[in-house]
Amino acid sequence: GRHHIAIEFALFLAVFFIAGFAMVGFGLRSGVRANQAKYWPTVNGTIASCRVAESTASDSGTSYQVEVRYLYAVSGRNYEGTRIAFGYSGSSGRGAHQEIAARLNSAESVLVHYNPRNPATAVLAYGWNRSIILLLVFGITWLLFTTGFSLLVFMTTRPDTGILNTLVTIP
């Protein structure tokens, strides 16, 4: 009965905690990789195509993201890259993505940062970006909310010792 409900509720909360830690973990991993890219060797590349793509999810409205293809060569081998930056992802604000696309489309060539151990992995921008920060802020807020909610539920299921310990009854 009651014990069974408590276990199910604990599992329910665990899913929310796992999701929160996954978001924060992914955000931190992206941040670390984005920072490492700063020290990668660079080579000049050319933009093959660049556009602001929009995707419409039924529940969250329209999301915008820059889709880019760039060509670069390392040690005589040709590569094609599609990653702007680690952690970069779409969002509902079209303007920020349009600015990135405009900058790329107006460029004669672009500086490509490539992984010296695997030149097929490359980025055009490095360091912390808005997508990473938003993911971290959302993940931390999610965890705080889940923690607060868990505490509220835990507190409501406990006896009120503050009253019970100071309540004086005369039989």
Side-chain angles (χ1 to χ4, degrees):
R2 207 180 142 130
H3 186 67
H4 189 68
I5 292 168
I7 291 171
E8 282 182 5
F9 187 71
L11 290 173
F12 173 76
L13 283 178
V15 170
F16 282 87
F17 276 111
I18 290 166
F21 283 116
M23 280 185 263
V24 171
F26 185 76
L28 289 174
R29 182 170 175 264
S30 296
V32 167
R33 293 176 79 191
N35 240 27
Q36 287 170 340
K38 180 180 184 175
Y39 306 102
W40 286 354
T42 57
V43 65
N44 282 3
T46 54
I47 301 292
S49 68
C50 177
R51 69 187 189 101
V52 176
E54 58 180 78
S55 63
T56 313
S58 56
D59 54 346
S60 59
T62 308
S63 171
Y64 303 93
Q65 183 168 358
V66 177
E67 285 180 357
V68 67
R69 269 180 54 245
Y70 51 92
L71 310 171
Y72 62 103
V74 177
S75 310
R77 276 196 65 184
N78 291 327
Y79 295 96
E80 182 182 297
T82 56
R83 182 182 280 127
I84 292 175
F86 286 113
Y88 169 74
S89 62
S91 69
S92 59
R94 185 184 188 129
H97 303 286
Q98 227 150 6
E99 274 185 74
I100 295 167
R103 173 86 60 94
L104 290 172
N105 279 321
S106 68
E108 191 95 352
S109 69
V110 64
L111 202 60
V112 178
H113 298 255
Y114 67 90
N115 185 338
R117 289 194 298 271
N118 177 18
T121 302
V123 291
L124 300 179
Y126 59 82
W128 292 80
N129 57 59
R130 194 183 68 163
S131 299
I132 295 172
I133 294 164
L134 283 174
L135 182 64
L136 283 172
V137 169
F138 186 78
I140 290 166
T141 305
W142 179 280
L143 284 173
L144 287 171
F145 178 81
T146 306
T147 303
F149 183 73
S150 304
L151 281 171
L152 279 174
V153 170
F154 178 75
M155 293 296 289
T156 56
T157 60
R158 302 252 98 19
D160 192 336
T161 51
I163 289 177
L164 291 172
N165 290 344
T166 59
L167 186 64
V168 178
T169 56
I170 295 139

